[in-house]
């Protein structure tokens, strides 16, 4: 039995009177790529933000290697192990590409400048961004910014990467370059939770697909089950809208 890296038990999240996550249960094993799909407003991004403690859960618990992330772990150390790649890149505009990939390592992990630089270069090379190490974010395309954001995440030596709709802010021609980096990461055994509208990625790259609807996990399973033979009416309706575009 594969080891569960993250376990989510009865997770709930409300904003005021508005419940966004109603009762979420699932776990992710080491090396697994899980794609989370569903309509806007179904709670996908809120769930991801709870896993990274950018939002505080209203109820339930999230365990990382069996420890409660709110009561038993130090947030900054936990976030260095479970890193997030955002829709809007979240790069520091005043720093160049290389500095963006070094700063987290030196401030959070306490790495020396030289080691951090070496690590940053290694991952920038992996995502094809070494020619741009002196460029500022404003000089880059959206796809290039997202590849830098992925390199920055990898330089932290994380155990899990959370992707929050990493391609939704990109022009269509940039989407492929980011998805191919993510596909290679998945193949290398990185543990990934990917909230995405890219159905082909969810179908072809994931080990498991979770379909969320109205704050619940409506259906989950292997991609061929969820896409090929969905059991729930809500899943069928959602997929038919997407696959007939």
């Amino acid at each position: 039995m594969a080891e569960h890296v993250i376990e989510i038990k009865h997770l709930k999240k409300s904003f005021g009177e508005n419940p966004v996550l109603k009762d979420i249960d699932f776990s992710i094993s080491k090396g697994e790529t899980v794609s989370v799909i569903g309509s806007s407003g179904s709670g996908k991004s809120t769930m991801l933000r709870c896993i990274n403690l950018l939002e505080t859960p209203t109820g339930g618990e999230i365990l990382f290697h069996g420890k409660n992330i709110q009561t038993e772990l130090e947030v900054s150390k936990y976030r260095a192990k479970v890193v997030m790649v955002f829709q809007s890149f979240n790069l520091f505009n005043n720093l160049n590409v290389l500095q963006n990939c070094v700063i987290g390592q030196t401030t959070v992990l306490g790495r020396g400048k030289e080691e951090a630089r070496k690590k940053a270069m290694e991952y920038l090379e992996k995502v094809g961004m070494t020619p741009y190490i002196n460029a500022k974010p404003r000089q880059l395309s959206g796809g290039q910014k997202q590849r830098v954001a992925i390199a920055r995440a990898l330089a932290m030596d994380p155990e899990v990467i959370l992707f929050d709709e990493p391609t939704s802010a990109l022009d269509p021609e940039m989407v492929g370059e980011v998805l191919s980096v993510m596909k290679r990461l998945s193949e290398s055994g990185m543990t990934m939770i990917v909230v995405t509208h890219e159905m082909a990625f969810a179908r072809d790259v994931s080990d498991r697909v979770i379909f969320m609807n109205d704050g619940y996990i409506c259906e989950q399973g292997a991609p061929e089950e969820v896409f090929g033979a969905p059991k729930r009416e809500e899943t069928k309706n959602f997929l038919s809208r997407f696959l007939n575009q």
Side-chain angles (χ1 to χ4, degrees), residues 54-230:
L54 291 168
E55 300 288 357
T56 306
T58 312
E61 55 180 2
I62 300 170
L63 306 179
F64 179 61
H65 293 298
K67 291 192 167 164
N68 186 308
I69 65 170
Q70 288 180 270
T71 57
E72 296 179 81
L73 295 172
E74 198 180 306
V75 172
S76 61
K77 287 188 175 147
Y78 167 68
R79 281 203 189 128
K81 290 288 174 203
V82 179
V83 298
M84 186 114 148
V85 172
F86 297 88
Q87 183 178 338
S88 53
F89 327 122
N90 284 27
L91 298 175
F92 295 109
N93 290 321
N94 58 327
L95 302 181
N96 67 25
V97 163
L98 182 58
Q99 290 163 334
N100 261 287
C101 294
V102 164
I103 189 166
Q105 299 182 65
T106 53
T107 54
V108 179
L109 302 180
R111 274 189 191 142
K113 278 265 165 56
E114 202 37 56
E115 187 194 353
R117 189 178 185 283
K118 206 169 147 192
K119 189 72 90 170
M121 290 301 290
E122 177 192 333
Y123 288 113
L124 285 165
E125 187 172 351
K126 273 196 172 151
V127 300
M129 287 301 292
T130 39
Y132 301 92
I133 58 169
N134 296 313
K136 294 278 177 70
R138 65 172 182 278
Q139 297 167 297
L140 304 175
S141 71
Q144 290 170 329
K145 286 182 200 171
Q146 199 55 293
R147 277 151 54 198
V148 172
I150 292 171
R152 175 180 64 180
L154 288 168
M156 301 296 284
D157 287 334
E159 284 188 55
V160 182
I161 302 186
L162 310 173
F163 289 91
D164 188 11
E165 306 215 4
T167 57
S168 64
L170 302 180
D171 295 331
E173 63 271 20
M174 312 274 175
V175 169
E177 64 186 69
V178 172
L179 290 179
S180 69
V181 169
M182 291 168 63
K183 183 169 189 278
R184 290 202 304 275
L185 273 183
S186 175
E187 287 163 354
S188 75
M190 174 57 75
T191 309
M192 297 164 44
I193 303 177
V194 184
V195 168
T196 186
H197 284 307
E198 300 293 337
M199 294 300 136
F201 177 89
R203 187 188 60 215
D204 301 339
V205 179
S206 314
D207 299 300
R208 184 157 44 110
V209 175
I210 287 175
F211 169 64
M212 284 183 68
N213 186 53
D214 194 29
Y216 293 100
I217 290 178
C218 192
E219 186 163 346
Q220 63 174 309
E224 53 275 18
E225 292 166 9
V226 174
F227 283 94

Side-chain angles (χ1 to χ4, degrees), residues 219-237:
E219 186 163 346
Q220 63 174 309
E224 53 275 18
E225 292 166 9
V226 174
F227 283 94
K231 297 180 180 72
R232 300 283 298 266
E233 209 49 52
E234 299 92 326
T235 319
K236 289 176 191 164
N237 292 339

